[in-house]
Amino acid sequence: MPSIEERFADRLAEIEGYLDFLEGLDNAIKSGTIGSSTTDILAVSVTQQRMLYSSVYLQLYNLVEATITNCLEAVSKAALSSASWMPGDLTTELRKEWVKFMTKSNAETGPEKRLQQAIALCDHMVAALPVPGFDIEKGGGGNWDDQQIKKIVDRLGLKLNLSKDTFEGVRRVIKDDLGAMELIVSLRNKLAHGSLSFVECGQDDTAADLRNLSNRVAAYMREVVAAFVAYLSAHEYLRPERRPVVLGKI
């Protein structure tokens, strides 16, 4: 199975390939190779060009949410199913996530169902069973910007130390008082809910603007992925005294 780094790289390559296409299209229109009116044999109208631009926001949001999903799956499944860790071996943060999964504490259920879930958790503890792979509640609700990502890494007790350039790049206002990640979420949701058309979404953009936006998001997400990889490699989902010794480290 591809690693979270490989999955991220593959999805980012798709977006960069699309941006190459948009930049090539821009250059062709400017040079007259492709016309910009419907009377040309091969023509791209302004409306079509704007729609092509607006889809970049959907692609970038897909990159962000898919990457976070893959990172959480790596923590909850790959890491925990690779060894027989007991509930007491987990950090306080991750043990909370396991208990939430076992008791379905965020689900709307009746008293009898909640009792059954509590008994199942009790039976698991009494039998001293190891922790199997489990799902971490993702949340986000279509709003995966850098603030939402910060909340979930804090929930896991994961250290996200962004470089100065990356932090400033993702927080710097682009338009509508929104930074890169916030802008993507805002436009993605407006497109999804029908309050903004694809033509309206792409009307103020250029291929160069979208490349710049993509570079900021890529730099941020690359550091998020690196933080998850370090978290997994160092077994930081376990209490310090239960972490395996890593060769080369004391």
Side-chain angles (χ1 to χ4, degrees):
M1 180 179 293
S3 68
I4 54 178
E5 295 164 298
E6 291 169 332
R7 290 184 182 185
F8 170 72
D10 288 345
R11 284 182 180 260
L12 179 58
E14 292 176 359
I15 296 172
E16 290 177 338
Y18 186 74
L19 289 169
D20 289 342
F21 161 72
L22 292 182
E23 289 170 342
L25 181 64
D26 276 2
N27 292 333
I29 291 174
K30 290 174 184 176
S31 66
T33 306
I34 294 179
S36 58
S37 71
T38 55
T39 60
D40 295 301
I41 296 175
L42 180 57
V44 176
S45 68
V46 172
T47 295
Q48 292 168 329
Q49 193 174 20
R50 289 174 177 175
M51 292 179 71
L52 289 170
Y53 286 161
S54 63
S55 69
V56 174
Y57 293 103
L58 300 181
Q59 293 177 47
L60 286 172
Y61 185 81
N62 178 271
L63 171 72
V64 172
E65 182 160 10
T67 300
I68 291 300
T69 298
N70 291 335
C71 287
L72 294 181
E73 287 179 352
V75 173
S76 63
K77 292 187 172 65
L80 299 182
S81 62
S82 63
S84 297
W85 308 121
M86 306 303 290
D89 295 332
L90 305 180
T91 60
T92 300
E93 293 86 356
L94 208 60
R95 195 160 58 250
K96 286 180 181 178
E97 298 300 322
W98 176 68
V99 171
K100 283 194 289 187
F101 173 79
M102 291 291 290
T103 61
K104 304 295 187 293
S105 62
N106 292 331
E108 294 184 7
T109 57
E112 184 61 31
K113 186 66 174 179
R114 287 198 299 272
L115 176 60
Q116 292 174 8
Q117 290 160 348
I119 291 173
L121 176 62
C122 182
D123 289 344
H124 192 104
M125 299 296 289
V126 169
L129 298 175
V131 177
F134 65 95
D135 294 328
I136 294 174
E137 178 71 26
K138 187 175 68 170
N143 295 296
W144 280 108
D145 59 17
D146 51 306
Q147 297 302 306
Q148 285 293 329
I149 292 173
K150 179 67 166 58
K151 286 180 182 179
I152 200 160
V153 298
D154 285 347
R155 243 176 64 196
L156 298 178
L158 188 152
K159 300 178 182 67
L160 181 58
N161 298 316
L162 299 174
S163 66
K164 182 174 181 291
D165 287 345
T166 295
F167 178 78
E168 291 180 350
V170 81
R171 295 304 299 166
R172 189 178 302 123
V173 170
I174 297 177
K175 63 180 177 182
D176 300 331
D177 293 324
L178 300 174
M181 302 284 284
E182 296 168 319
L183 180 63
I184 290 168
V185 168
S186 174
L187 294 179
R188 177 264 184 189
N189 286 342
K190 288 178 180 179
L191 287 170
H193 299 150
S195 59
L196 185 70
S197 74
F198 282 84
V199 174
E200 292 169 329
C201 179
Q203 67 184 356
D204 297 322
D205 293 319
T206 67
D209 292 335
L210 295 171
R211 175 73 74 175
N212 177 267
L213 175 67
S214 178
N215 288 343
R216 294 192 197 192
V217 173
Y220 174 79
M221 292 307 300
R222 196 173 285 114
E223 293 194 19
V224 169
V225 169
F228 270 93
V229 170
Y231 175 86
L232 292 169
S233 298
H235 300 88
E236 292 178 8
Y237 48 88
L238 300 174
R239 292 161 50 202
E241 64 273 20
R242 296 296 296 151
R243 294 171 190 169
V245 175
V246 179
L247 294 178
K249 293 187 178 181
I250 298 176

